[in-house]
Amino acid sequence: MLDFSNMFKTEGPDVVYTWTIPVFAAIIFLEMAYSHFNKEKIYETKDVATNVLFALLNYGLDIIMKGFSLFVMMFFYQHRLFDWQEGIWYWIAVFLAQDFAYYVHHYVDHHSRVFWAVHITHHNSDYFNISTGFRSPVFQPLYRYLFFSPLAFMGFHPWHILVAYSSIQIYGTFVHTQSIKSMGFLEYILVTPSHHRVHHACNIKYLDRNMGMGLIIWDKIFGTFEKEDPEVPVKYGVYPKIKSKDPATMLFYEWRRIGKDIRQPGISFKDRIKYLFYSPGWRHDGSGKTVKQYQKEYKEKVKNIPN
């Protein structure tokens, strides 16, 4: 029997995840049945197995890093700028701050290549379903706490930050579905399945859009919002496509490409560092294109198409 009185204590994240395990299992089963009977082919056995494997690897690393992550966050909390009085407004502030911190974290994951090398595992499936939400960036626990530590410095307790993160993450997992077309007026407030389908698309128009996990307002404020366009059907996965579906290949795909780039002969140390931290697609000789460059060309092309 779950004790929800511990929801906002140290056991909070475990309570959240434990409560949702049977719910997720049931929903995934129902979506599989829906896919099968409607012949939509949104699930594939090997792909689901890879999703589960990456989730388990991520969870294992998360357990290993848990003590160190909390140590770092507690350090910032002990030197906090503000003391908050717990109450409804405190918890609203925790959830809003955490959701924004995740937006920043997610934005960096897409715009700095070394972080993209970790995050790409969440995107390199050609399928999009509830189980895709478990296709975790395996190595993310190594650095995720760094994006949450500023919240501890602002005076939010680390355990409360993690409760907010786990709760929002649960919601973010549910939006990995093609079965829900629209959520009505909630499309203006929350990240919805429609918004997240755009995020997982490899169409040029949709790249690096809709970074939020709970609220869509951050994308609208910072200019990263893109509405799903019925004239531009979503294509899932990454570009270029990864030919091998072997989990090890998919896990280390971008790391191997980075290694090849930084080992190029005749380039400066500065350029080697840029291959690590600049946007994916950047090349020292100008032969590559970043997402911004692709989208600029795409907008010019669309603008010049006669009506």
Side-chain angles (χ1 to χ4, degrees), residues 24-156:
F24 275 125
I27 291 177
I28 289 172
F29 176 78
L30 289 172
E31 191 177 51
M32 282 181 170
Y34 172 86
S35 170
H36 174 74
F37 289 113
N38 286 275
K39 299 181 179 180
E40 294 196 9
K41 298 181 179 179
I42 59 176
Y43 276 87
E44 193 269 332
T45 303
K46 188 172 182 179
D47 183 75
V48 173
T50 300
N51 295 344
V52 173
L53 174 63
F54 286 173
L56 291 174
L57 291 174
N58 174 270
Y59 182 67
L61 184 58
D62 207 14
I63 291 174
I64 294 171
M65 289 296 299
K66 191 173 185 178
F68 182 74
S69 302
L70 283 169
F71 171 80
V72 173
M73 293 175 70
M74 285 301 298
F75 171 83
F76 283 99
Y77 182 69
Q78 288 167 2
H79 296 83
R80 58 190 178 275
L81 297 176
F82 309 107
D83 284 303
W84 298 73
Q85 182 177 353
E86 284 191 40
I88 183 64
W89 293 111
Y90 168 79
W91 281 103
I92 290 173
V94 171
F95 275 82
L96 285 174
Q98 170 56 54
D99 200 49
F100 176 67
Y102 178 82
Y103 172 86
V104 174
H105 173 10
H106 202 179
Y107 185 93
V108 172
D109 280 348
H110 278 255
H111 290 83
S112 180
R113 195 177 177 194
V114 69
F115 292 100
W116 174 243
V118 175
H119 189 65
I120 193 175
T121 56
H122 184 61
H123 283 265
N124 58 20
S125 171
D126 295 332
Y127 295 85
F128 186 75
N129 51 62
I130 295 290
S131 77
T132 309
F134 291 92
R135 195 185 186 94
S136 304
V138 172
F139 300 114
Q140 204 173 76
L142 294 173
Y143 63 86
R144 182 173 55 214
Y145 56 91
L146 296 176
F147 289 91
F148 301 162
S149 292
L151 305 188
F153 188 53
M154 290 170 59
F156 299 114

Side-chain angles (χ1 to χ4, degrees), residues 16 38 91 99 105 127 136 144 147 153 166 176 181 183 197 211 215 226-227 229 242 246 271 273 277:
V16 173
N38 286 275
W91 281 103
D99 200 49
H105 173 10
Y127 295 85
S136 304
R144 182 173 55 214
F147 289 91
F153 188 53
S166 58
H176 291 80
K181 305 307 178 185
M183 291 179 63
R197 287 193 288 271
M211 300 287 179
L215 299 172
E226 188 71 45
K227 188 176 181 180
D229 186 347
I242 302 175
D246 173 66
D271 282 338
I273 297 298
F277 294 104

